[in-house]
Amino acid sequence: MRMTLLWTYEGEMRSLIDYDTVTGMVSVENSTRARSPVELAFGTRTRVGPADVEALIKSRCLEDTRVDKKLWIQKLGCESDAPLDFIKVTEGRMAQDRFGLKLVRMEMEP
Amino acid sequence: MTSSRRWQVASYSRGTASGGCQRKNLVDGRWYKADTLGAESFAEVLSYHVNQTFGFPSLRYEPGIWQMGRRTLPAVVSHDYSGGGNVLSVETLIRKMSGQLWYSILYEKSPAAKFEKLAEFLASYVGEGIRQYLLDLFMTDFLNGNPDRHLSNIDMIYRDGFYKMAPFFDYGLSWYVQDDVDEITSDNVMEAVESISFRPFNLQGKAFYQFLVSLGAVLKIPADWEKELEKLKMVIYSMDGLYDADFLASRVLLLESRMAYILKL
């Protein structure tokens, strides 16, 4: 599967992430508008791998141990409790900050 | 306890946070958290009052009720301290900004070196006052017996290129709420008091206090201590409708024992 994710801060694009789950290739393009690297998806890091992208997606979902996770999944209308299905609906927004993670493209292998 | 101090919490809300396992909602600038593992709300409320008593300002927690249809759970209410900014855990900041320093802090074996690396890293964002902030924070963990101060439980607030530290928060596992000490008696209470291992240094009991003092931390015992202790007991008794009487009585014993232990240090 190949996907493109958009990392946003206050609704503005900060990082564009291309991720190929088959080859494990990740490419990140960062905006120059960030006032601090903390606004970027991976901060100052220059080497980013598949595990980092997966961790980023998971960090914008409820933790697996969350007691009312099923309730939220149902309430939000997510297809499943998979992290990608969660961020498809929430666009990676959480109440504690104004970051977001939007799935803008997803292509399955033919 | 009067009903006016309790908050009716709807279980439906637009906002929630990613971290932790508790039910939590942000509604109109207030965070509501319900008990999940035991008596986290009790621990938050008592810890707030203990911190105040010892002169360590921290996030104010008030007892509440989480309502889910006919079912209710003890809960806790606090204000949204982000002030419209972005709450970032220290762990997130280190991972994003420090590169290899993250591993260096995480795997550092010497508690003192770990503390200094952490303080030095954070000082570059919030200034030299961070050292005192950390010492005070860890001292409140010692006061309340909080074993859960991992780096995701220390928060910063980021806004428009500026950083500041969040108020002291998250004492939900303090006061032995997870322990299997269902029947705490005067025979086993000191064992519970000394048994706590404090993160992120994994130092146990008195050794943690001695470590903090060696770094320059100061704990001032309030004047008129007996009166202050009585006030803290009243805080426990004020939660009588939320927790059963045996639980509260055992926590009074723990409070007395922990405070006696601290006074002797």
Side-chain angles (χ1 to χ4, degrees):
Chain A
M1 184 176 22
R2 277 179 287 194
M3 67 179 89
T4 304
L5 296 152
L6 189 66
W7 175 256
T8 60
Y9 173 67
E10 295 186 344
E12 286 184 15
M13 182 270 203
R14 287 292 180 266
S15 303
L16 195 63
I17 306 153
D18 277 311
Y19 174 35
D20 186 326
T21 60
V22 177
T23 62
M25 291 291 287
V26 178
S27 72
V28 182
E29 198 179 315
N30 288 322
S31 160
T32 54
R33 298 189 67 180
R35 273 158 289 197
S36 161
V38 83
E39 293 176 14
L40 307 174
F42 303 101
T44 56
R45 298 179 57 189
T46 48
R47 292 174 63 185
V48 177
D52 299 306
V53 180
E54 302 284 348
L56 181 72
I57 297 169
K58 276 195 96 171
S59 75
R60 306 309 294 177
C61 300
L62 298 182
E63 284 187 14
D64 290 337
T65 53
R66 178 69 174 261
V67 69
D68 57 348
K69 187 172 179 177
K70 275 188 185 167
L71 204 74
W72 276 101
I73 298 292
Q74 209 173 16
K75 194 162 64 179
L76 293 165
C78 304
E79 278 179 35
S80 76
D81 65 355
L84 271 182
D85 282 338
F86 193 84
I87 65 160
K88 268 186 212 168
V89 175
T90 63
E91 298 186 342
R93 287 174 300 198
M94 286 286 165
Q96 75 265 26
D97 59 40
R98 288 176 285 163
F99 293 105
L101 185 64
K102 198 172 176 179
L103 182 67
V104 290
R105 184 182 68 112
M106 190 166 77
E107 286 173 11
M108 304 300 280
E109 293 295 321
Chain B
M1 169 172 184
T2 58
S3 58
S4 63
R5 285 187 56 209
R6 292 188 180 160
W7 301 89
Q8 297 293 320
V9 186
S11 62
Y12 49 87
S13 154
R14 288 169 298 164
T16 193
S18 54
C21 59
Q22 278 182 276
R23 289 182 174 87
K24 65 186 82 164
N25 286 351
L26 177 65
V27 185
D28 297 332
R30 293 169 188 270
W31 276 104
Y32 299 87
K33 288 198 292 183
D35 281 4
T36 300
L37 298 169
E40 295 97 322
S41 301
F42 168 88
E44 298 281 26
V45 172
L46 180 58
S47 298
Y48 161 72
H49 286 278
V50 169
N51 292 345
Q52 291 295 113
T53 301
F54 281 86
F56 296 111
S58 61
L59 185 63
R60 184 184 181 103
Y61 287 100
E62 289 192 20
I65 294 173
W66 187 289
Q67 202 162 340
M68 298 190 300
R70 288 181 186 173
R71 198 176 154 213
T72 59
L73 292 169
V76 76
V77 189
S78 58
H79 83 273
D80 175 19
Y81 55 78
S82 72
N86 301 275
V87 177
L88 293 170
S89 73
V90 164
E91 178 172 340
T92 300
L93 189 79
I94 296 173
R95 276 182 187 275
K96 271 192 163 185
M97 309 294 272
S98 74
Q100 290 301 309
L101 181 64
W102 163 246
Y103 300 98
S104 162
I105 292 174
L106 192 69
Y107 296 111
E108 176 57 61
K109 285 187 179 155
S110 154
K114 191 175 208 167
F115 177 89
E116 297 301 344
K117 280 179 183 175
L118 186 61
E120 189 185 337
F121 171 72
L122 293 176
S124 61
Y125 293 92
V126 293
E128 294 302 320
I130 187 62
R131 205 169 188 282
Q132 193 59 50
Y133 173 98
L134 290 173
L135 288 175
D136 288 350
L137 174 67
F138 294 133
M139 189 57 91
T140 64
D141 290 336
F142 178 71
L143 277 171
N144 295 291
N146 179 21
D148 198 33
R149 188 65 62 195
H150 50 83
L151 296 181
S152 288
N153 273 347
I154 307 174
D155 278 354
M156 304 180 88
I157 300 162
Y158 170 77
R159 189 170 195 179
D160 302 333
F162 295 96
Y163 298 82
K164 65 176 184 177
M165 297 307 294
F168 299 169
F169 78 105
D170 210 337
Y171 297 84
L173 297 185
S174 307
W175 295 104
Y176 315 90
V177 294
Q178 267 196 308
D179 279 15
D180 294 329
V181 277
D182 290 338
E183 291 179 16
I184 294 170
T185 66
S186 48
D187 293 333
N188 64 16
V189 69
M190 286 316 290
E191 198 183 320
V193 166
E194 185 59 28
S195 67
I196 295 170
S197 181
F198 293 92
R199 295 169 84 177
F201 306 103
N202 296 325
L203 289 170
Q204 198 166 334
K206 208 178 291 177
F208 184 57
Y209 173 78
Q210 287 161 347
F211 164 67
L212 294 177
V213 170
S214 74
L215 293 172
V218 177
L219 181 63
K220 288 181 188 156
I221 306 299
D224 210 350
W225 171 244
E226 292 298 321
K227 205 186 250 181
E228 296 299 332
L229 186 60
E230 287 308 308
K231 282 188 204 165
L232 292 173
K233 285 189 208 170
M234 289 310 294
V235 170
I236 295 180
Y237 290 128
S238 75
M239 287 183 266
D240 62 341
L242 293 173
Y243 298 99
D244 66 50
D246 288 347
F247 172 83
L248 294 178
S250 71
R251 301 307 124 160
V252 168
L253 179 59
L254 272 166
L255 174 71
E256 288 174 332
S257 304
R258 184 154 194 89
M259 291 301 127
Y261 163 83
I262 284 167
L263 290 182
K264 277 187 205 161
L265 290 169

